[in-house]
Amino acid sequence: MKVTIVGAGAVGASCAEYIAIKDFASEIVLLDIKEGVAEGKAMDLMQTATLNGFDSKIVGSTNDYSKTAGSDVVVITSGIPRKPGMTREELIGINANIVKEVSSNLIKHSPDTIVIVVSNPMDTMTYLVHKTTGLPKNRIIGMGGALDSARFKYRLSEALECPPSDVDGMVIGGHSDTGMVPLTRLATRNSVPVKAFLSEDRLNQVAEDTKVGGATLTKLLGTSAWYAPGAAVSAMVQAIACDQKKMFPCSALLEGEFGLNDLCIGVPSILGKDGLEKIVEIQLDEAETAKIKESAEGVKKTNALLEL
């Protein structure tokens, strides 16, 4: 199992570290445009191998895509991160050109690969990769919902004052501060609906805190977060590499599912060796349906800014 991560910034390096520690990949390639950065981070990570007990080989490369040849899974994190006060949508002009070039170079050397898109605005960048590469839809997946759901579960456990492992919940919709749809109705604590423990006001607060989860961290850190995004990507890569058939909300190209067409947006998906193997069309209530349709309109507005 060979995994390539393009963009050796904080998210890319964090992702490489988590994949290495889980020890399911034989080789991890870190690639970056900045001279020496990927090589340096790869060497630094390799020096933790005996300490963290992994045998994965981590290789760094400055823009040499031949090193990525034969990758089973590729992760695109390249592009500029958010600064405080910026929306993910404001990154589109710069990041669209980067993602287009990167995906083209990766597929040239790994035509059978599965692509995970992390660069923001993520749903639109995932749509761009669908429109410009011609890969089958199951082999292009956007990472947003896995991260948003982890943030949702953190906020739920905080409100419930319980261990995070007690909590289950999911966020669908667009990966944006206004587009996320935390499914509070379906969230549970050990199979018991969370509304048995929390008031409607408290649940609404949890949902709002989840939606601005990224912006909250950007304000505190001065840039985008990296630990949770890296962990979310690594969980998705592992589900594919180990054929786990795990369900994550992922940005998938929709063709009628949930009444939506011709866009990528976060929906429950099964991940396995063939990539995004199935979209799970769960029953939404009236309010949730209205929210995902509104979210889809926002994504389509951002998609309209692409020069396809």
Side-chain angles (χ1 to χ4, degrees):
M1 172 57 56
K2 180 173 178 176
V3 179
T4 287
I5 300 158
V6 182
V11 173
S14 169
C15 178
E17 181 180 17
Y18 288 128
I19 290 171
I21 287 170
K22 291 174 181 179
D23 207 23
F24 60 83
S26 52
E27 185 178 358
I28 302 160
V29 179
L30 260 179
L31 186 140
D32 203 278
I33 199 166
K34 200 171 177 186
E35 190 72 42
V37 169
E39 290 89 339
K41 290 196 180 183
M43 189 184 293
D44 193 12
L45 284 168
M46 278 306 295
Q47 289 168 7
T48 73
T50 55
L51 300 167
N52 285 327
F54 66 80
D55 294 314
S56 299
K57 179 185 175 186
I58 309 171
V59 177
S61 168
T62 301
N63 230 27
D64 179 3
Y65 281 87
S66 67
K67 298 265 178 74
T68 72
S71 293
D72 299 283
V73 181
V74 297
V75 179
I76 302 175
T77 75
S78 25
I80 59 167
R82 280 206 284 179
K83 299 284 189 295
M86 284 180 84
T87 66
R88 293 180 178 92
E89 289 72 28
E90 286 175 78
L91 305 173
I92 188 168
I94 296 167
N95 287 359
N97 289 330
I98 295 170
V99 168
K100 199 171 176 181
E101 185 183 339
V102 166
S103 56
S104 170
N105 284 327
L106 286 168
I107 290 158
K108 211 176 288 175
H109 291 89
S110 304
D112 299 321
T113 198
I114 292 164
V115 181
I116 297 177
V117 181
V118 182
S119 309
N120 279 316
M122 184 279 303
D123 297 295
T124 296
M125 293 301 102
T126 306
Y127 183 73
L128 175 68
V129 175
H130 275 286
K131 289 295 177 185
T132 56
T133 63
L135 287 182
K137 63 179 278 188
N138 61 296
R139 282 169 45 202
I140 303 168
I141 310 161
M143 190 292 291
L147 170 61
D148 300 332
S149 297
R151 288 174 171 163
F152 181 38
K153 286 180 267 193
Y154 157 69
R155 288 298 189 188
L156 282 169
S157 68
E158 183 183 53
L160 291 161
E161 297 181 337
C162 74
S165 58
D166 254 13
V167 175
D168 201 11
M170 186 187 289
V171 177
I172 61 171
H175 182 56
S176 70
D177 300 351
T178 54
M180 288 180 213
V181 184
L183 296 175
T184 51
R185 179 180 63 90
L186 300 177
T188 61
R189 177 182 180 181
N190 274 352
S191 303
V192 180
V194 293
K195 61 187 176 187
F197 304 97
L198 300 173
S199 68
E200 193 175 338
D201 283 352
R202 189 68 184 94
L203 267 177
N204 288 339
Q205 187 59 53
V206 164
E208 290 310 309
D209 288 344
T210 299
K211 287 161 75 171
V212 296
T216 303
L217 286 163
T218 301
K219 193 175 177 184
L220 290 167
L221 297 167
T223 187
S224 295
W226 57 90
Y227 293 122
V233 180
S234 75
M236 291 170 66
V237 174
Q238 186 176 22
I240 294 164
C242 301
D243 196 25
Q244 290 177 333
K245 314 295 187 193
K246 284 189 85 166
M247 182 160 70
F248 294 92
C250 300
S251 190
L253 183 66
L254 300 187
E255 297 171 317
E257 298 91 346
F258 295 95
L260 301 172
N261 274 290
D262 193 34
L263 84 160
C264 294
I265 200 166
V267 291
S269 309
I270 305 295
L271 299 187
K273 64 181 171 57
D274 294 322
L276 199 155
E277 296 187 347
K278 185 182 180 184
I279 291 170
V280 182
E281 210 165 345
I282 57 171
Q283 283 295 312
L284 300 177
D285 68 18
E286 207 173 300
E288 292 156 355
T289 301
K291 281 177 187 171
I292 198 170
K293 285 192 172 168
E294 186 184 342
S295 180
E297 287 307 311
V299 171
K300 284 201 165 185
K301 276 182 190 169
T302 309
N303 288 354
L305 302 173
L306 290 171
E307 294 174 10
L308 292 172

